[in-house]
Amino acid sequence: MSGYILRENDPSIVLTADQVDRLVKNGDGDAALLYLLLMRADRGITEQELQSRLRWSQLRLNAAETGLQRLGLIQRPAETPPPAPAEERPVYSAQDLAALLEDDRSFRMLIPQVEEKLGRKLKTADLQVLAGLYDDLGMPADVIYLLVNHCITRSEERYGPGRRPTLRQIEKEGYYWARQGLFDQDSAAHYLKTWRDRQQGQSAYMQVLGLGQRRPVASEEKYISDWMDKGFPPETVALAYDKTIFYKKQLEWRYLNGILRRWHENGWHTPEEVQQGDAGKPAQPSPKPDKPDQDNSRMEKYMKW
């Protein structure tokens, strides 16, 4: 394979137990299929040949390659940068769409299912988006159906019952799925479960911030997701919220985020770590209530998003 090196010198198709264990544990069917093809090749193989033999898009091939690199089964030389995904997406003409609908039963059956979920007939521009996901990107029809349902769920949670996403919104999420290597039902189902668990977990953060049971808006969700990624439980966010209210007299997201950013830099994530860390610091003079600008300047360097 051009630009890639297999770790094993033996070109035999026989896999070691360690290789099989790593592929099975990873659970990525595309990565496993690509690895079998690479092991089958007895010479360098180009990406064009791989795309042709697997009938995959460049993005799908890149995702599978990344999975194998992560497992340590292939490596990319440092001097060879990964190929950038194509900037231009194919435009499907009316003739292209008609041929795809006539020749491909899976794509043909997908259309009425998507129309039923979206509650409307798909226009030519909509069909072009679906054709791009299915034919160019290489996403199977059953995974596209999961994608559409997921986008509908997100739209209803954010904007209310009955709200439906546009096909461009579905396409954008579809390309995100492709970059994550979600090309089969198992990997897509695992992603959706993780996403649902994360969404449910965000409600606890909203409650400690005194915002009740409503869903966070996009900017709020961005903050909360970052705190979750940094390892802050809701209880620690509650401590930062108390400090924010004490100094600012109201919830200010950037100020609160600055407190958490400082704690993260100090390695404090649990309430116990924060309390122990604060106890070990030199005593600070109490802020003067008649000069609030001093509090702002003290926190300024921590409030950049």
Side-chain angles (χ1 to χ4, degrees), residues 5-299:
I5 301 173
L6 289 176
R7 290 188 179 277
E8 297 76 14
N9 293 323
D10 184 2
S12 173
I13 193 64
V14 177
L15 302 182
T16 67
D18 177 65
Q19 291 168 334
V20 173
D21 289 344
R22 277 188 277 177
L23 289 169
V24 171
K25 184 177 181 180
N26 186 52
D28 186 342
D30 278 1
L33 185 59
L34 175 60
Y35 193 61
L36 288 176
L37 181 54
L38 291 175
M39 293 295 288
R40 177 68 178 84
D42 58 358
R43 57 176 176 80
I45 185 169
T46 67
E47 291 188 344
Q48 291 73 20
E49 289 176 301
L50 287 173
Q51 285 183 262
S52 176
R53 295 184 64 176
L54 292 168
R55 304 178 74 177
W56 287 354
S57 66
Q58 177 72 58
L59 196 56
R60 184 172 184 179
L61 178 62
N62 288 347
E65 290 172 358
T66 300
L68 291 179
Q69 292 165 16
R70 189 167 53 246
L71 291 173
L73 293 173
I74 66 172
Q75 62 182 4
R76 184 188 296 275
E79 66 273 10
T80 306
E87 293 293 332
E88 296 184 1
R89 300 172 187 175
V91 177
Y92 289 82
S93 66
Q95 292 78 9
D96 295 332
L97 293 173
L100 187 60
L101 287 168
E102 181 178 354
D103 299 338
D104 197 304
R105 181 172 179 270
S106 294
F107 183 72
R108 186 168 62 249
M109 294 179 63
L110 174 66
I111 303 307
Q113 292 176 329
V114 174
E115 289 179 335
E116 180 181 3
K117 298 303 297 186
L118 295 180
R120 63 180 178 83
K121 292 288 291 182
L122 296 182
K123 300 178 181 179
T124 299
D126 300 328
L127 294 176
Q128 290 173 331
V129 170
L130 286 182
L133 293 174
Y134 179 82
D135 183 62
D136 177 60
L137 202 58
M139 186 171 287
D142 55 354
V143 176
I144 294 177
Y145 186 72
L146 292 177
L147 169 69
V148 171
N149 280 275
H150 172 62
C151 291
I152 290 173
T153 298
R154 287 178 48 177
S155 182
E156 289 188 331
E157 287 186 351
R158 178 159 295 177
Y159 304 111
R163 295 295 297 269
R164 293 293 183 264
T166 66
L167 263 294
R168 288 302 176 187
Q169 291 171 327
I170 293 173
E171 179 186 45
K172 181 179 179 181
E173 181 69 9
Y175 272 78
Y176 173 78
W177 280 32
R179 289 191 294 270
Q180 304 304 309
L182 307 180
F183 285 100
D184 60 81
Q185 282 207 3
D186 289 342
S187 60
H190 177 74
Y191 167 78
L192 292 175
K193 181 181 184 305
T194 302
W195 182 85
R196 283 192 296 268
D197 292 343
R198 191 179 187 87
Q199 294 297 109
Q200 293 171 0
Q202 289 182 352
S203 63
Y205 293 82
M206 294 292 286
Q207 292 180 37
V208 301
L209 296 175
L211 299 175
Q213 298 292 332
R214 70 171 177 82
R215 295 294 310 166
V217 299
S219 57
E220 295 170 340
E221 186 174 350
K222 181 180 179 181
Y223 279 114
I224 294 174
S225 295
D226 182 61
W227 301 338
M228 295 174 76
D229 290 340
K230 285 183 168 63
F232 288 112
E235 294 78 12
T236 306
V237 174
L239 293 179
Y241 172 71
D242 288 343
K243 288 182 177 290
T244 301
I245 296 300
F246 180 80
Y247 286 111
K248 308 300 289 186
K249 311 306 178 187
Q250 63 182 355
L251 172 59
E252 291 192 8
W253 287 85
R254 290 184 64 222
Y255 189 92
L256 190 154
N257 187 64
I259 295 174
L260 292 172
R261 184 184 295 276
R262 174 167 60 88
W263 290 351
H264 180 66
E265 291 171 354
N266 291 335
W268 308 341
H269 296 92
T270 67
E272 294 75 18
E273 290 171 343
V274 171
Q275 292 165 0
Q276 292 173 5
D278 280 340
K281 292 175 56 180
Q284 298 290 333
S286 300
K288 297 179 180 181
D290 58 338
K291 293 183 179 180
D293 289 343
Q294 291 181 357
D295 300 325
N296 292 337
S297 62
R298 187 189 313 166
M299 292 301 298

